[in-house]
Structure formats: C-alpha cells, structure tokens
Amino acid sequence: MKKILLFFAALAGFATSAQDFKTLTYFVNDSTKLELDLFVPKEKSKEKLPLLIHVHGGGFSGGQRKDGHHICGYASQHGYVAATITYTLYMKDKNFSCGGQVPEKVKAFQIAANQLWQATLYLIKEAGKYNIDTNKIFISGSSAGAETVLHAAYWDRNLMALYPQKLPADFKYAGVISGSGAVMDLNLITKQNLLPMLFFHGSVDPVVPYDNAAHHYCPTNASGWLMFFGGYSIFKHVAELQGTARMVTYCGGGHEYSDEMFAKDQAGVVSFMDRVLKKEHFYEHTVVTTGKKGDKDDKYGFCD
C-alpha cells in the first residue's frame, strides 16, 4: 500500500456562478418527473468526451442537485460533460437511523440507484447531441449519493430493476467516486465486475462507518440495524481483488467530510478520472491530518 501523509489545508471552493448549464428532464412517468443539470465544456472537441454523473447527499431525505454544481462545473472546465441529478427523496419524513425499518432503507437505495440508471440511459440516448463517449461514464456521490453510486455500480440491474427501461446488458461504468459512502454487502464486488474507485472518508464517521459496522452504529436489537461496509473496508477488498483504487482518509474526521473533495479538491477527482482513462493501474492511500480530536483515537495507526 502506498501511503502518503499530507497536512490538511483549507482550499478555496470552486465558484460555479459563471458556469452555464442546461436543466433537462431525464425521466417522467405518471407520478414522477426528474431533472438534471448538464454542464458541457465550452470548448468544442473533435473527440467524444467522458461523462461524470453526480448524486447529491442528504440521507435520502434532503439535499438538491445544485449541491453537485461545484464538481460538475469544475469537471466541465477540464474536458468532461457533467450532470448532477435530482432523485426521489424516499426517506423524507421517515426514520433513516436506528429507529427506522431496514426494508425502507433498502428501498431508498433501490429507488435512487434505479433513477441513476435512468439518468445514465437518458444521457446515453442523447450522447450524439452532447458529444459523450458512452464507454467513459463515471458516477460520483456524497453520503447517500455515494451509497447510491456504489449500489448502482454493483447491484444486479435486472434483479433490482424498478422500471422497464434498462441499460444495455453489457454496460459498465468507467469508475466510481464515493464520498463517505458504503455498500450493504461486500460480496457484491467481485473480480469480474470490479471498477476503478476513488474513496474519501473521515476515519471516525459516526453515521456511515469508515470501515465495517452498523449504519449509525446502531445496536443489534435496533429495528434499523443494517451492516455497512464503508470506504476503507471496500478499499481493502479491492486490494484482495488486485484492482485499481485510491483512498483518501481524513484522520479524526466525521461525516462532515462527505463532500470534501467535491467541494474543495475537485482537481483530485478529475485527476483520478484522467488516470483511469489513461488505463493506469494504481492502489494508493492518502492520509490527511485534520487536527481534530478524533486523530488521537485513531485505531488504524494512520495518524501516528
């Protein structure tokens, strides 16, 4: 494992106020209308461009697609078409913590993942109009959005489908970027379906476990008890599968770091995608000291 120690520095966020985007409807049925904001590079390209689709966080009960404007605006200025999507906030007015119900939690993941698949399908159909290379589609998400992209990448799309319109059977995403995300079952990720991944996660996140633990660290008798395998757990799994991944650990950091790279280190996100498109193979761990109290409680030895 390549381990790099960096000192935390506050970076200025990328301003997207001057960035143009189009709001498009990507899905409509009798009960639902979903939109996305599409950012397209201003400079024309003779070659087809890679695409990034971003899913905002908010516990499946809050957040909005404009939360993804910082990363999408930056990516579009660096050669990517980028979209940030609206999806159904299924857990609004419901308990998403220990007092909730596991089937409801799973349903929230399933709806969001299906709607991400629909956004992907829409942009594949519109690829000619927006000069998109459909073999180079990345997905990214923060918190609930990260849980969405991870499950969208690795679930059986036929088994978990909610809508009749489906992605091509042989379609695979080019890579996944997860900000404080997790999967419910590590066995979903196999040698056969493994994708390049970038993870960033606070090491003492009390909401979505950094390693493997129950969601919200719920007691085993809780109605909402659900095992989660967080960024570091998946990162270790990738090593066993000899895959490509980069992990950024915010030592002592909590769930407030779920949007950190999307808001403050967009260059790191784009660099990851660029390297994947160059077919680089890497397995790297970057450790960032935050100076927070949790640093001294680090059980992994990263902050020693």
Side-chain angles (χ1 to χ4, degrees):
M1 178 187 297
K2 180 179 179 181
K3 193 161 97 170
I4 306 169
L5 182 64
L6 299 177
F7 289 98
F8 176 78
L11 301 175
F14 177 76
T16 60
S17 57
Q19 182 70 34
D20 295 329
F21 62 88
K22 298 179 181 180
T23 298
L24 305 169
T25 298
Y26 74 84
F27 179 82
V28 178
N29 65 12
D30 292 341
S31 60
T32 306
K33 177 182 177 181
L34 300 169
E35 295 178 326
L36 59 80
D37 291 341
L38 187 71
F39 295 73
V40 178
K42 292 183 178 180
E43 292 187 10
K44 299 296 182 182
S45 172
K46 294 181 180 179
E47 298 182 356
K48 292 182 178 180
L49 300 174
L51 169 67
L52 172 65
I53 307 175
H54 185 75
V55 185
H56 68 78
F60 298 100
S61 63
Q64 48 196 331
R65 68 177 181 271
K66 74 176 184 180
D67 296 341
H69 280 194
H70 37 35
I71 183 58
C72 289
Y74 185 93
S76 73
Q77 291 196 344
H78 291 79
Y80 289 78
V81 179
T84 176
I85 71 170
T86 292
Y87 59 98
T88 298
L89 302 178
Y90 182 73
M91 296 306 297
K92 189 173 183 179
D93 300 321
K94 298 178 183 178
N95 191 327
F96 194 52
S97 189
C98 301
Q101 300 294 323
V102 170
E104 292 285 85
K105 290 185 176 184
V106 176
K107 192 71 172 179
F109 303 153
Q110 186 180 16
I111 291 171
N114 269 265
Q115 292 174 353
L116 174 55
W117 292 334
Q118 293 302 306
T120 306
L121 181 59
Y122 171 82
L123 290 167
I124 287 174
K125 290 178 178 178
E126 297 292 317
K129 184 175 181 179
Y130 298 110
N131 199 29
I132 294 168
D133 188 332
T134 59
N135 293 312
K136 299 176 181 178
I137 300 178
F138 293 85
I139 48 178
S140 66
S142 167
S143 188
E147 291 154 13
T148 298
V149 300
L150 285 165
H151 288 94
Y154 294 112
W155 260 341
D156 181 322
R157 294 198 296 267
N158 289 321
L159 179 66
M160 300 304 289
L162 295 175
Y163 306 116
Q165 304 86 0
K166 296 180 181 178
L167 287 164
D170 61 350
F171 174 80
K172 290 181 69 173
Y173 290 104
V176 182
I177 301 106
S178 166
S180 302
V183 292
M184 293 182 289
D185 183 0
L186 204 58
N187 294 312
L188 291 170
I189 305 171
T190 68
K191 186 78 172 178
Q192 289 68 41
N193 67 11
L194 184 62
L195 301 172
M197 289 184 280
L198 167 61
F199 309 96
F200 58 94
H201 211 137
S203 66
V204 293
D205 190 330
V207 178
V208 180
Y210 168 75
D211 201 346
N212 58 296
H215 185 212
H216 283 269
Y217 291 85
C218 296
T220 53
N221 64 344
S223 60
W225 187 93
L226 177 65
M227 180 57 71
F228 261 3
F229 297 87
Y232 186 57
S233 183
I234 304 171
F235 181 67
K236 291 184 291 183
H237 185 58
V238 172
E240 296 174 1
L241 300 177
Q242 299 181 322
T244 292
R246 182 185 176 213
M247 177 87 213
V248 180
T249 295
Y250 294 99
C251 275
H255 200 62
E256 70 274 12
Y257 285 89
S258 62
D259 204 44
E260 191 73 7
M261 290 189 72
F262 299 133
K264 298 180 180 179
D265 185 18
Q266 300 97 335
V269 175
V270 170
S271 174
F272 165 78
M273 295 190 293
D274 287 347
R275 293 174 71 189
V276 170
L277 293 177
K278 292 175 184 176
K279 302 188 183 303
E280 291 185 27
H281 176 74
F282 50 90
Y283 184 77
E284 301 171 353
H285 189 186
T286 300
V287 176
V288 180
T289 59
T290 65
K292 295 200 171 189
K293 181 180 178 181
D295 272 359
K296 65 183 181 181
D297 299 326
D298 170 41
K299 65 181 182 180
Y300 300 101
F302 300 150
C303 305
D304 292 344

